[in-house]
Amino acid sequence: MGRSSDLFNKAKSIIPGGVNSPVRAFKPVGGAPLFISKASGSKIVDADGAEYIDYVGSWGPMIVGHAHPRVLEAIDRAMVNGTSFGAPTEPEIEMAELVVEAVPSVEMVRMVNSGTEATMSAIRVARGYTGKDLIIKFDGCYHGVSDSLLVAAGSGVETLGLPDSPGVPAALAELTMSLPYNNLDVVEQTLEKNRDKVACVILEPVVGNMGVLPPEPGFLQGLRDLCDRHGVVLIFDEVMTGFRWALGGAQELFGVTPDMTTMGKVIGGGLPVGAYGGKKEIMELVAPSGPVYQAGTLSGNPLAMAAGIETLKILKQDGTYDRLEYLSDKLATGLRGVAEKAGIPAAHNRVGSMFSMFFTESGRVHDYTTAKTCDTDRFAKYFMGMLDAGVYLAPSQFEAGFMSLAHTERDIDKTLEAAEHTLKLL
Ligand code: HOZ
């Protein structure tokens, strides 16, 4: 930790909080964040040369593992031809074809540079399409940092206790209604009360930003039906869940097709990418084919396309999702066992290769209120114990763990040994 601490002190004087994204700071768990020097497969190495089994995976993108040789080669091949042209390229078509083929709701797709851009743009398009202004989101869901969506948001916003960010104009925040997740009745009442005023409902179909939280049976289909009844655009934010447990994401897993989908993380294979897509009828409103303006100098960047396409091709191979499921189940079942053995009350949520262990006595975590019952001090101690034992988890109770194809059974055994040792001391 010596060099990481030194680097952090240096960074703090010239970068706000010493980090370029708040969730990277170890604020909720204390201490200096690890500065990472390199990564390979399931492991990351910090500035002091210490190696850790990594379950952060760059917050989701590294599903095939760090520095996968095929992804690196693809980037290399693209790089020698130039890094950005600001003009259309053939790989953008290949990427669009892969997405349209894989994601049930997507008939047309526009590439952007981040998940934030994707959700912000999708909302603009939904507003343009419906001619309405109000949007509905859910408490604790996080859709990036655009003004309209920084309302009762999860992830770092929740972790740092900043549910309403200064700088978001009240007039804009008033157009966003945030409702309890997994509560269809409240959505129905809200849509009735605001008849003909709501443009879209946006949600994480499986929440990853207050820890992992699956939808209750019927919740997604119920939203689909309500949106159809009220002429509201249903947007699944699959920035985290896209390509995670099936190529078609949560919409494939749960068999509910939204009108629009936002993507990021995995689709960039570790380079900065986002995307939004949906029904042709809606997407054709996007400039230049329609009047809703959205643009980006680096959108569809050739290196990002190369990394993303290669990652999706790896995922398309037989057995990849079975392997992710096998490893994730082994880890989650093992963690449940060691927590029980140590007498630590916890709720264990897992959907495919995303998982959370919540330190709560509430038994079940299914919405923001139950997520908030967690003992975050206990999580902090757990986090530090795991770090000391060589396991790198997200430094917040309200973030997901991610399995990759590069993790091994040995990694999981070591993780479980570390957890057993750590939980005994809590
Ligand atoms: N969605 C990520 C955390 N839940 C974002 C990572 C970040 O904010 O840097």
Side-chain angles (χ1 to χ4, degrees), residues 8-15 18:
F8 189 46
N9 285 332
K10 196 168 168 188
K12 276 194 288 192
S13 63
I14 42 172
I15 300 172

Side-chain angles (χ1 to χ4, degrees), residues 211-229:
V212 176
L213 218 145
E216 300 281 4
F219 181 60
L220 299 180
Q221 186 58 51
L223 290 178
R224 176 68 282 173
D225 297 342
L226 284 172
C227 285
D228 286 343
R229 202 178 321 145

Side-chain angles (χ1 to χ4, degrees), residues 20-24 58-59 142 145 155-156 208-209 239-240 265 398-400:
N20 277 315
S21 194
V23 296
R24 297 177 196 176
S58 189
W59 305 90
Y142 175 74
V145 295
S155 189
N209 284 293
V239 168
M240 265 193 172
K265 299 195 190 272
F398 304 112
E399 298 289 356

Side-chain angles (χ1 to χ4, degrees), residues 255-404:
V256 176
T257 305
D259 302 301
M260 297 186 79
T261 300
T262 58
M263 290 155 276
K265 299 195 190 272
V266 168
I267 199 176
L271 272 72
V273 177
Y276 65 100
K279 289 182 178 158
K280 224 175 196 157
E281 176 190 327
I282 299 177
M283 288 302 291
E284 270 177 338
L285 281 182
V286 179
S289 66
V292 177
Y293 203 73
Q294 182 274 313
T297 300
L298 290 167
S299 296
N301 173 268
L303 304 194
M305 294 303 95
I309 289 167
E310 202 57 37
T311 297
L312 296 186
K313 283 183 178 165
I314 295 169
L315 289 173
K316 274 181 90 165
Q317 293 171 162
D318 284 348
T320 49
Y321 289 105
D322 291 342
R323 170 138 185 98
L324 283 169
E325 176 63 25
Y326 170 74
L327 293 170
S328 309
D329 178 55
K330 182 175 162 80
L331 179 65
T333 307
L335 285 174
R336 183 187 293 271
V338 290
E340 277 170 11
K341 200 165 143 201
I344 302 284
H348 303 266
N349 285 359
R350 178 179 77 86
V351 181
S353 53
M354 283 168 66
F355 53 89
S356 280
M357 174 159 65
F358 295 97
F359 291 102
T360 175
E361 302 197 1
S362 80
R364 211 165 73 88
V365 173
H366 56 96
D367 60 8
Y368 181 69
T369 310
T370 43
K372 291 284 287 177
T373 63
C374 289
D375 181 342
T376 50
D377 291 338
R378 180 169 266 178
F379 174 83
K381 288 183 194 131
Y382 172 67
F383 171 87
M384 280 303 175
M386 294 299 275
L387 197 65
D388 281 347
V391 178
Y392 186 67
L393 303 170
S396 165
Q397 173 72 93
F398 304 112
E399 298 289 356
F402 294 98
M403 186 68 72
S404 82

Side-chain angles (χ1 to χ4, degrees), residues 19 34 49 71 79 87 100 184 190 263 268 277 317 372 383 396-397 401 414:
V19 289
L34 299 187
V71 176
M79 189 168 62
V100 168
L184 264 185
T190 307
M263 290 155 276
Q317 293 171 162
K372 291 284 287 177
F383 171 87
S396 165
Q397 173 72 93
K414 275 183 156 171

Side-chain angles (χ1 to χ4, degrees), residues 338 341-342 344 419-426:
V338 290
K341 200 165 143 201
I344 302 284
E420 185 161 9
H421 177 74
T422 305
L423 289 172
K424 247 195 260 167
L425 303 176
L426 295 189

